[in-house]
Amino acid sequence: MAGRDFLSNLDMTAAELRAVMDTAHAMKRGEWRQVKPLAGLSLALVFEKASLRTRTTFDVGMYQLGGHAITLSNTEIGLGTRERVSDVARNLERWVDGVMGRVYLQQTLQELAQHAAIPVINGLSDMLHPAQLLADYQTIEEAFGHDLRGRRVVYIGDGNNLANSHIHMGILTGTDVTVVTPVGYEPNAGVLMDAVRAGVKVTLTNDLGAVEGADVLYTDVWISMGQEAEADIRRRAFRGYQVTPGMLETIAPHGIFLHCLPAHYGEETVPEATEHPKSRVFDQAENRLHAQKALLYHLMGHLKPRW
């Protein structure tokens, strides 16, 4: 993976994912504590959207690996407005060794990657959230082990970037992915075609009964940043799709509940669910740090400081 972009989970092979996951588990155990493989390297953190976990974990992760992160807000850069995305890319590649972008459009990341000869990492876009899924699957492996083939992962709610990336991870890991969503809010058609081309079955349904017996139940907000104008329509459409402690009682006895956060309590879930004994939500948030450190190492660990 050295020097490559990471815009989608499918930018990895299954073997490369396994290597990243093994590194993430080792880092969490503290086995890399004295190792500084990114010493002298820098990562630009480009934000069009607000962030707690993405900003903190990439910044702290670079520090722990011996590198440096610089945070650039859209007020400072003005991607595509103050300055062309291609020009931003050509500037950043002269100064830093990698770019992480948390942006509105997948196209913005693709343009950054096209014009920058350094790794570009998707920290979130409208289409995909692949770095989040690395942490999610680290958490799932902590519960069920490394062989996840046949484990039932049920995603409930909006067929958004998280749902899309779950489908991609199902392709890589062999999990049985079910997406439970109201009619009209299904995952991206192109992502579903990725599964078809890979010969992997993805179940789409609006039947809430599909939650029963799940190994992993996952949800996300119904109203993402940029969708505020649709808030009332979406709340009506998703009525009944809220994850509650009662719903958690219907998943497998050993099942776990995940949410990428932030949670809009009273909408897609309630505090009693994220604090439920089956919840691994805060372990999942912690694993953003370990999984992303592993990703950074595999993308940038071969580089030498340029100064």
Side-chain angles (χ1 to χ4, degrees):
M1 294 182 64
R4 299 205 323 241
D5 300 315
F6 181 69
L7 306 186
S8 160
N9 293 109
L10 293 188
D11 286 336
M12 293 177 171
T13 65
E16 288 166 343
L17 173 63
R18 180 72 267 140
V20 171
M21 289 288 96
D22 288 345
T23 302
H25 289 302
M27 286 179 169
K28 187 171 184 178
R29 292 192 298 266
E31 296 173 15
W32 288 61
R33 193 162 289 135
Q34 304 306 316
V35 181
K36 305 295 180 184
L38 303 189
L41 303 182
S42 296
L43 179 72
L45 307 178
V46 177
F47 290 96
E48 287 188 313
K49 289 189 171 186
S51 173
L52 170 63
R53 281 152 293 278
T54 300
R55 191 249 189 262
T56 304
T57 53
F58 272 108
D59 194 331
V60 172
M62 282 296 290
Y63 168 76
Q64 291 182 353
L65 295 177
H68 170 73
I70 178 170
T71 299
L72 301 168
S73 72
N74 204 42
T75 302
E76 295 163 310
I77 296 180
L79 279 171
T81 54
R82 179 178 179 271
E83 196 159 357
R84 294 192 310 175
V85 175
S86 58
D87 284 0
V88 172
R90 292 187 179 106
N91 277 265
L92 289 176
E93 71 174 2
R94 306 296 181 100
W95 306 322
V96 299
D97 304 288
V99 178
M100 187 289 302
R102 182 177 169 90
V103 300
Y104 282 99
L105 301 177
Q106 182 79 6
Q107 179 182 345
T108 301
L109 294 169
Q110 292 168 345
E111 192 169 352
L112 281 171
Q114 178 184 351
H115 294 284
I118 54 176
V120 174
I121 298 168
N122 184 349
L124 176 141
S125 73
D126 62 332
M127 179 70 69
L128 299 167
H129 199 352
Q132 175 69 54
L133 266 290
L134 296 180
D136 297 343
Y137 269 70
Q138 182 176 0
T139 311
I140 294 169
E141 287 189 357
E142 289 172 345
F144 301 110
H146 292 180
D147 186 358
L148 299 177
R149 287 173 295 181
R151 290 287 180 183
R152 288 193 63 226
V153 176
V154 177
Y155 176 95
I156 180 172
D158 187 23
N160 59 13
N161 50 8
L162 265 298
N164 294 334
S165 288
H166 269 289
I167 292 168
H168 282 172
M169 286 296 279
I171 294 170
L172 291 173
T173 65
T175 51
D176 179 358
V177 176
T178 296
V179 179
V180 185
T181 190
V183 173
Y185 293 90
E186 293 83 4
N188 177 269
V191 171
L192 293 171
M193 283 303 301
D194 291 335
V196 171
R197 284 189 290 267
V200 172
K201 179 185 176 183
V202 175
T203 302
L204 301 182
T205 182
N206 53 28
D207 180 4
L208 295 170
V211 168
E212 187 173 351
D215 295 304
V216 180
L217 179 59
Y218 198 113
T219 195
D220 186 25
V221 296
W222 297 339
I223 305 155
S224 297
M225 285 179 279
Q227 297 176 331
E228 290 79 7
E230 307 171 32
D232 290 341
I233 295 171
R234 284 176 165 268
R235 288 189 187 103
R236 287 194 295 271
F238 289 100
R239 189 174 294 126
Y241 286 75
Q242 184 183 85
V243 176
T244 64
M247 184 179 287
L248 293 182
E249 293 305 318
T250 71
I251 69 175
H254 56 265
I256 62 173
F257 170 51
L258 300 178
H259 189 310
C260 62
L261 299 177
H264 293 175
Y265 291 122
E267 293 182 3
E268 80 281 356
T269 193
V270 293
E272 293 79 8
T274 58
E275 296 163 9
H276 191 276
K278 291 183 177 179
S279 171
R280 299 293 183 273
V281 168
F282 299 105
D283 295 332
Q284 175 188 5
E286 177 189 341
N287 285 341
R288 289 291 300 274
L289 175 63
H290 309 300
Q292 288 164 186
K293 283 166 60 179
L295 175 67
L296 290 168
Y297 167 72
H298 282 275
L299 295 178
M300 299 170 58
H302 67 293
L303 297 174
K304 303 298 181 185
R306 292 184 284 179
W307 54 277

